[in-house]
Each structure stands twice: as C-alpha cells, then as structure tokens.
Amino acid sequence: MKNILHYSNKNIGLLGLGTVGKAVYDEIFTNISSVLVKNLTKSRNIELSNVKITNNFQDILQDKNVETIIELIGGETPAYEYIKESIKSKKNVITANKEVMAKYGKELLELATKNKVFLLYEASVAGGIPIISPIIKDLSANEFKSVRGIINGTTNYILTKMSRENLELIEVLKEAQDLGYAESDPTSDIEGFDAQYKISILSRLAFNSDVSLDQIYLEGISSIKSKDFDYANELGYTIKLLATASINSNELLLVKVHPALIPNDVPMASVNGVLNAVEIDGDLVGTLWFQGAGAGAKATASSVLSDLIRIRNSDVQSIVNHKKTYKITSMDKHFCQYYLRLNVSDKPGVLASIAKEFGERNISISSVLQKDLYENGSADLVIMTYPSIEKDMQASIKKITNLESVFNIESMIRVESYK
Ligand code: NDP
Ligand code: HSE
C-alpha cells in the first residue's frame, strides 16, 4: 500500500529511521521532506536521495515544508523535547512513544490544543491494534468498568516460547530483539515498564483519570521460569503478563501490571506470540475484544499512518469530558487466588508449617503439587490458594520466608478471575 496519502506534498518530517521509522518511510517516502537519525554514517539499505537527512533536529523544525512531524525515536529524551518544540512551532505530531505519552501526555495534549495542532498516538499502545481511537471515539457513550489485556508483544512472545519449548527467558529475548519487537533497552519490556506506560495511557482515556506511574502496581516477568508453565498447566492455567485497570465495588480505580495465571479455557490464554489483546467492559456495549499484532514494523506503521490520514481528513475527536473521574486505590485490598512455587526442605511437616502461617490470616490452600526433588534434599512445592487479600498474602509470605524448612519462595503469581 504505497503512497497512501495520494498527494505530492512533501510536508512530513520523520524522526527516527529504525524498525518502525523504516516501515513508515517505505510507505510514504514521497511525502517525507526530511528525516532525523542519530548516526548519519549508518548503512540503511534504503533509497534516501530525495529527502534531507540530518542528525540536527533544528533542521527538521526549520524545514518550511514540514507541517507534520512523526516521532519514532523512542525513549524520554530527547523525544519529549522534540515533540514539545514541534507543537510549539505549530506542527502536528504523531508519535508511537508510550513513555512520553504516559509521563507527559496531559501536558502535551493541552499544549497541542492551545496551539491548534494535532497530537496523535495510536501506535503507542498495542502496536497495530486500534484501541485509543475506539475508546475516544466509537465507545465514548460508555462508562468503562475495566480495561485489561496483554499489551506488550516482546514479553508475550517470550512467555509463549517459554511455555511451548521449555526455554528460559534469556534464551528467547534475543529472538524478540532480532524481530524488532523489543525496546532499545529491553528491561522496559521484561520488567513491565512498557506495559505500565501503556496502561497509564489507557486509564487516562477510559477513566478520565490521571494515573501517575507510581500509582500503578508493577511486576515484570523476570522471576518466571519455564517449569512454572508446566505446574500452571497441571492446574489448568497458562501465564501471561497482564495489565489491568478496573473499578472496584467502592468505585475506586486499581491499575496494575503483573504476570497472571490465566485459565486455559478463556480467550486471553490463546493470545500467543507477538499478539496483543485488550478486553474492554463498557456499561452499554458490554465486553469488547481487540486482538492483533502488538509490535513489529508494519503493524505499528499501520497505526502511525492511520493517524496521518486522520490528520489529513481532520477526523480527530478529543476526549469527551463529561465522564466522571476516579480516585486511585492501592494493591493492598486486591482479592484473588495465588500460585506460589517454593523451594523447601523435603522433610515431613513442611506443608503443615506453611499452612499454619496461611491459616493465621485466613488464607486457605486449594491445591498442592510436590515436584522436582533435588540432590541437595530440597523439593519444589507448588501451592494454589483460595482467594485472599493481597495485604494478608504479603504478610504471610514474609512469615513463610523465615521458616527454617523454606529455602526460597521462587515465584508468586496472581490468578486472574474470569467469573
Ligand atoms: P529503533 O531503536 O529501531 O529506532 C530508533 C530510531 O531513532 C533510529 O533510527 C535512531 O537513529 C533514531 N534515534 C535514536 N535516538 C536518537 C536521537 N537522540 N536523535 C535522533 N535520532 C535518534 O526503535 P523502534 O523503531 O523499534 O521504535 C520507535 C518508537 O516506536 C519507540 O517509541 C517504540 O516504543 C515505538 N514502538 C515500537 C514498536 C516496535 O515493534 N518496534 C511497536 C510500537 C511502538 P539511528 O538509526 O541513527 O540509530
Ligand atoms: N516493545 C514493545 C512491545 C513495542 O514489545 O510491545 C510495542 O509497543
């Protein structure tokens, strides 16, 4: 689908010519006036003779032809400054930058309104899946009860491979990087920051509430081992990095990102590889399901270019502000089942001592698997609890960690409820 804009104006400035930048360039090169990169001497294997290429942002800003700037550098600095300067210079901006939109979105969107330019960012959440525009536009009549999903392609690719091929995280990460899915620093994917930025953006849109990053509970996938998939599977579950924003019975908003046990028989369990999925619950529409490629050059370019077409058609709608706002609640009161994998001494009475600590806080055990026996006399003990309150679980974990017969609590994964 080349030359989607079907006009000959060279009025676009492109910042970044990496995985996504190259895919965007490839589709609309005839409309691009100038391109910013970091390293001018890098070999790029693309025809660049008809554009100005520079490593100085001021060249793009001062290019009189440029009306719209597409930011595909990533990271906070200098992308934030470049977006801000572009808006102040009355240029429309399109960005795929979730970090900037999570940290500075409110400020930048207000600045764009003040300067009467567009700031669009569909590609910043869930790659190729249209999710921002539907929330702002097509679903604006709804009050939302929850938004939850798999919104990081890299970790979903890694978890899927770990589950299917019995590999460990470190063995699969390089593949996700080679495929262009990972952030330039993949810690952002693995430790969940990328998903945290994205759920912060979705929370602002769906719940009309500013959720700062420190109000979002965060755990990444680095403690998950391939054997957790085997044990989870025996219990009827798989493991996904889930981001959720939901309104509780006290009308408070809880926003969190953590690995979760997902029942094998719900659709979220079958979202595999680089696919992302977002499930939205609206008071009028009920549950809606969006699924597609959450990362990758072309899928992300699809979102970027759709924003460009929206600007060309002036088909842009700002957030409907009739919606109520919500106070944010902390993780302490969250109520769910828990999966724990402990490395314990293979002696009688271990389970009884653990059950006693749980019992002190009214936490009941629903099932137990005793697994791999190691040469050092330790064994894996997998425990699934009945639903309990997070604060009680954390207190129990502290006590159990100190038991002589417990060498280590190696993983604690929350079970997502689909009732
Ligand atoms: P890459 O790392 O592949 O590309 C980054 C580009 O930005 C490179 O061309 C690099 O230049 C340029 N760049 C980096 N720093 C600077 C700087 N200081 N000044 C000028 N240019 C700079 O990133 P991606 O294409 O993967 O990602 C771009 C954005 O899209 C990010 O915000 C990312 O989160 C987002 N995104 C990415 C997706 C994906 O699947 N990759 C999916 C959805 C969103 P040089 O080539 O000279 O090194
Ligand atoms: N690194 C991100 C991911 C890119 O893996 O989802 C898409 O935002």
Side-chain angles (χ1 to χ4, degrees):
M1 206 247 247
K2 296 278 183 285
N3 290 319
I4 54 160
L5 296 182
H6 300 300
Y7 65 80
S8 55
N9 292 6
K10 271 179 155 329
N11 60 0
I12 292 164
L14 180 63
L15 314 185
L17 204 50
T19 304
V20 184
K22 250 189 213 168
V24 166
Y25 181 87
D26 194 35
E27 296 295 328
I28 55 162
F29 55 89
T30 55
N31 302 108
I32 292 178
S33 176
S34 42
V35 178
L36 179 78
V37 293
K38 190 172 190 176
N39 180 358
L40 280 175
T41 59
K42 200 188 247 184
S43 130
R44 301 195 185 264
N45 209 15
I46 42 175
E47 176 54 55
L48 287 164
S49 55
N50 289 322
V51 290
K52 286 167 256 170
I53 183 153
T54 176
N55 59 5
N56 180 357
F57 174 64
Q58 292 307 318
D59 293 342
I60 311 265
L61 204 61
Q62 276 146 32
D63 181 337
K64 292 271 181 308
N65 295 322
V66 169
E67 293 168 8
T68 296
I69 290 186
I70 302 180
E71 184 278 308
L72 298 170
I73 292 175
E76 181 172 343
T77 304
Y80 162 67
E81 289 79 11
Y82 291 174
I83 293 174
K84 197 168 172 175
E85 282 190 60
S86 304
I87 294 171
K88 282 185 175 167
S89 302
K90 312 272 183 214
K91 316 265 189 206
N92 302 308
V93 174
I94 295 168
T95 179
N97 195 320
K98 56 299 282 269
E99 182 169 357
V100 167
M101 289 312 292
K103 292 180 179 172
Y104 306 102
K106 186 169 187 279
E107 171 203 333
L108 292 172
L109 287 161
E110 283 169 7
L111 191 67
T113 306
K114 190 171 150 210
N115 283 277
K116 298 188 171 54
V117 294
F118 298 116
L119 168 58
L120 300 186
Y121 52 104
E122 184 62 68
S124 66
V125 180
I129 304 177
I131 190 69
I132 289 176
S133 174
I135 291 177
I136 293 177
K137 202 174 165 185
D138 309 288
L139 300 171
S140 58
N142 286 263
E143 291 289 348
F144 297 104
K145 294 182 215 156
S146 77
V147 176
R148 67 177 165 181
I150 296 167
I151 51 177
N152 181 271
T154 302
T155 47
N156 205 41
Y157 182 86
I158 291 172
L159 293 175
T160 304
K161 281 260 176 176
M162 287 173 73
S163 146
R164 288 181 177 165
E165 296 173 30
N166 271 331
L167 297 169
E168 296 304 338
L169 188 156
I170 200 68
E171 299 173 88
V172 196
L173 173 60
K174 170 103 183 18
E175 268 182 53
Q177 288 179 294
D178 290 347
L179 288 162
Y181 302 154
E183 296 302 301
S184 55
D185 175 1
T187 314
S188 183
D189 300 291
I190 301 300
E191 297 304 340
F193 301 114
D194 179 85
Q196 189 189 36
Y197 300 144
K198 291 166 175 169
I199 196 70
S200 151
I201 293 171
L202 292 182
S203 299
R204 187 195 304 135
L205 295 170
F207 301 104
N208 194 27
S209 304
D210 279 317
V211 187
S212 63
L213 295 174
D214 59 11
Q215 292 174 305
I216 301 177
Y217 179 81
L218 176 64
E219 253 178 53
I221 64 163
S222 51
S223 71
I224 309 284
K225 297 280 176 270
S226 71
K227 60 183 166 187
D228 285 315
F229 290 94
D230 298 334
Y231 300 159
N233 192 41
E234 274 191 53
L235 296 162
Y237 296 88
T238 189
I239 304 167
K240 299 287 181 190
L241 182 67
L242 207 67
T244 67
S246 54
I247 306 297
N248 70 15
S249 52
N250 297 319
E251 292 285 288
L252 297 171
L253 176 61
L254 176 65
V255 190
K256 56 195 182 58
V257 174
H258 56 76
L261 254 66
I262 309 281
N264 279 331
D265 59 357
V266 304
M268 197 68 82
S270 308
V271 177
N272 287 319
V274 74
L275 290 181
N276 281 191
V278 182
E279 193 184 54
I280 300 190
D281 195 0
D283 60 345
L284 303 175
V285 73
T287 302
L288 283 182
W289 176 262
F290 299 78
Q291 180 177 333
K298 286 197 175 185
T300 310
S302 161
S303 291
V304 170
L305 296 172
S306 300
D307 277 348
L308 192 56
I309 292 171
R310 239 171 248 139
I311 290 177
R312 192 194 66 173
N313 297 342
S314 292
D315 173 23
V316 182
Q317 186 171 313
S318 57
I319 301 173
V320 184
N321 251 335
H322 66 260
K323 295 197 174 204
K324 58 181 172 193
T325 58
Y326 295 90
K327 289 210 170 95
I328 315 299
T329 184
S330 75
M331 192 68 179
D332 280 2
K333 296 188 192 76
H334 183 56
F335 186 69
C336 69
Q337 284 186 273
Y338 294 83
Y339 158 106
L340 294 112
R341 174 168 54 81
L342 304 92
N343 185 244
V344 299
S345 163
D346 185 37
K347 285 188 184 149
V350 176
L351 184 59
S353 60
I354 294 170
K356 181 171 172 292
E357 289 301 343
F358 278 143
E360 300 282 326
R361 286 172 184 78
N362 288 325
I363 298 173
S364 308
I365 293 175
S366 87
S367 40
V368 175
L369 306 172
Q370 173 142 9
K371 288 293 172 182
D372 298 344
L373 190 59
Y374 299 103
E375 277 175 8
N376 65 1
S378 72
D380 278 349
L381 186 67
V382 175
I383 296 177
M384 183 77 113
T385 71
Y386 281 108
S388 352
I389 294 169
E390 176 82 17
K391 198 174 172 192
D392 292 336
M393 175 53 72
Q394 294 296 353
S396 296
I397 284 178
K398 272 197 194 136
K399 290 278 192 177
I400 290 168
T401 307
N402 291 330
L403 291 175
E404 206 178 311
S405 51
V406 173
F407 300 134
N408 198 13
I409 299 184
E410 300 196 320
S411 60
M412 188 277 272
I413 310 177
R414 296 167 188 83
V415 180
E416 185 67 8
S417 169
Y418 280 84
K419 283 174 192 139

